[in-house]
Amino acid sequence: VIALCSGLNLLLKRISIQAILFFLTVPVVWAAEGNYQLGQGFKLADWLTVGGYISTEYKKSDDHEEFVVDDLAFLAYGEFGDSSSFMLELESVDAFEFDFDRHESRTNLPPAIERLYFDHGFSDHISVRVGKQITPIGYWNLQPINVLRETTSNPRYSREMFPKFLTGVDIYGYTTFDDNLTYHIYMQSTGDLDDAYINIDIDKHYGFSANKQFSGGWEAGGSLGRFEKDGDFSTRYLQLNARRVTGAYTFVIEAISSLKKGPGQLADRRSNAAYIQGEYRYKPRHSIISRLEYRDDGNSTNRERIAILGYSFRPVYPVSLKLEYQWHTLSDDNQLQASFSVLF
């Protein structure tokens, strides 16, 4: 029986690796035929481009070691005329995992709908996006793909404080009185289109965000909103963000404070989270990144601080290799992380 289970695990492992290699090989074949450029997808028609991305991670701590194909995604997008467009993203999260300690592997290949929306622009001042989309809060949440980020890991701020996705309507554009000020008015009044990989289960979400460009490479903005689930709880939040890009340096800070109310609670719970990150591109394709995080979930004994030091190498923009080490104050989760990701 043990031998049979080991054989099945090995077979699944080989099948998964072959599927991944096929996924990586197809763009190379297209490129050889002259119809494809890495990172820009394959144009099947004037209105349809297909592509995808893959992200792999290696994690090692004192008590755990694993390799994960954490994102395997298919993208389809295009434009209808000058004013309308659409996006479809199907993703398998943790498509393949191998635990080095237990010598076990598992697969999760059936995809879920990560994004599916339709865009229409009436003018520079008013556009409407309908469907499942990224919640337009801050900077980090707008970069959901590993290859686009500076680090392998995501700050707790972006994972735990607000819903990463919105199934509803987003009205956005430039304001009529300032061409450097953008706004978003977003609304959700139903469950998620596909709740396989959402971080917070909700059925209502309303909010407003704005971002202003300043001179000297500065920009700043914020968001405020409210979300709830079946009337069981409601959370109000206020979020602020700022960023500066100048020469070889990028500086980012984001913070959020939320107040959660629910039936039967003796007291409201206030939570706070923030991070500050700096990046130094000491060569065109090489960067050093440092990040400090803070998370307070309203419990005086659970105020965690995390420090991260990382390195990023991009041989070309759609390909990213990253390495980082994390230090945690409240747990034994200190760990080394490495990732390889490609946008097709």
Side-chain angles (χ1 to χ4, degrees), residues 24-93:
L24 291 169
T25 302
V26 170
V28 176
V29 174
W30 283 343
E33 295 176 351
N35 298 322
Y36 173 82
Q37 186 173 347
L38 189 64
Q40 297 186 5
F42 184 70
K43 194 166 187 177
L44 298 178
D46 290 341
W47 58 274
L48 178 60
T49 300
V50 298
Y53 60 89
I54 185 172
S55 172
T56 65
E57 291 186 13
Y58 169 78
K59 303 177 184 179
K60 181 173 175 57
S61 62
D62 290 339
D63 57 2
H64 190 63
E65 183 180 10
E66 68 175 358
F67 170 79
V68 182
V69 179
D70 63 323
D71 289 324
L72 185 62
F74 167 80
L75 300 173
Y77 51 94
E79 298 180 352
F80 303 103
D82 297 329
S83 304
S84 302
S85 62
F86 76 96
M87 159 72 82
L88 168 65
E89 178 182 352
L90 302 175
E91 181 174 352
S92 299
V93 175

Side-chain angles (χ1 to χ4, degrees), residues 136-147:
I137 296 177
Y139 305 127
W140 195 280
N141 199 52
L142 302 182
Q143 297 179 317
I145 301 175
N146 180 302
V147 69

Side-chain angles (χ1 to χ4, degrees), residues 43 69 127 199 283:
K43 194 166 187 177
V69 179
S127 294
N199 62 322
K283 289 184 178 180

Side-chain angles (χ1 to χ4, degrees), residues 54-179:
I54 185 172
S55 172
T56 65
E57 291 186 13
Y58 169 78
K59 303 177 184 179
K60 181 173 175 57
S61 62
D62 290 339
D63 57 2
H64 190 63
E65 183 180 10
E66 68 175 358
F67 170 79
V68 182
V69 179
D70 63 323
D71 289 324
L72 185 62
F74 167 80
L75 300 173
Y77 51 94
E79 298 180 352
F80 303 103
D82 297 329
S83 304
S84 302
S85 62
F86 76 96
M87 159 72 82
L88 168 65
E89 178 182 352
L90 302 175
E91 181 174 352
S92 299
V93 175
D94 296 337
F96 172 76
E97 294 183 61
F98 182 76
D99 188 316
F100 290 93
D101 302 306
R102 299 179 178 179
H103 299 284
E104 295 178 351
S105 64
R106 73 178 186 90
T107 59
N108 179 39
L109 293 178
I113 299 175
E114 187 90 342
R115 287 182 284 176
L116 175 59
Y117 61 78
F118 174 79
D119 257 315
H120 183 76
F122 297 93
S123 69
D124 291 340
H125 306 299
I126 299 179
S127 294
V128 178
R129 177 173 292 179
V130 180
K132 184 176 180 180
Q133 55 197 278
I134 297 168
T135 307
I137 296 177
Y139 305 127
W140 195 280
N141 199 52
L142 302 182
Q143 297 179 317
I145 301 175
N146 180 302
V147 69
L148 301 179
R149 301 194 304 260
E150 290 80 14
T151 61
T152 299
S153 62
N154 294 293
R156 293 186 64 182
Y157 151 92
S158 69
R159 291 182 281 124
E160 302 175 8
M161 296 297 293
F162 57 86
K164 296 192 298 181
F165 293 98
L166 173 84
T167 297
V169 178
D170 177 23
I171 302 170
Y172 64 96
Y174 291 92
T175 60
T176 56
F177 53 87
D178 189 340
D179 290 340

Side-chain angles (χ1 to χ4, degrees), residues 1-9:
V1 174
I2 295 174
L4 178 60
C5 292
S6 299
L8 288 173
N9 277 333

Side-chain angles (χ1 to χ4, degrees), residues 166-241:
L166 173 84
T167 297
V169 178
D170 177 23
I171 302 170
Y172 64 96
Y174 291 92
T175 60
T176 56
F177 53 87
D178 189 340
D179 290 340
N180 293 315
L181 178 62
T182 59
Y183 73 92
H184 290 265
I185 302 171
Y186 47 95
M187 300 161 280
Q188 174 175 340
S189 59
T190 183
D192 197 273
L193 179 63
D194 191 330
D195 60 2
Y197 304 131
I198 59 174
N199 62 322
I200 300 177
D201 188 17
I202 62 168
D203 55 21
K204 290 182 177 61
H205 190 183
Y206 309 99
F208 172 82
S209 66
N211 194 68
K212 165 77 172 176
Q213 299 280 343
F214 298 94
S215 60
W218 280 100
E219 59 179 300
S223 307
L224 56 90
R226 178 180 180 274
F227 58 87
E228 64 178 73
K229 172 64 176 178
D230 294 333
D232 293 336
F233 72 88
S234 66
T235 301
R236 291 177 171 85
Y237 60 85
L238 172 65
Q239 180 269 348
L240 299 172
N241 49 265

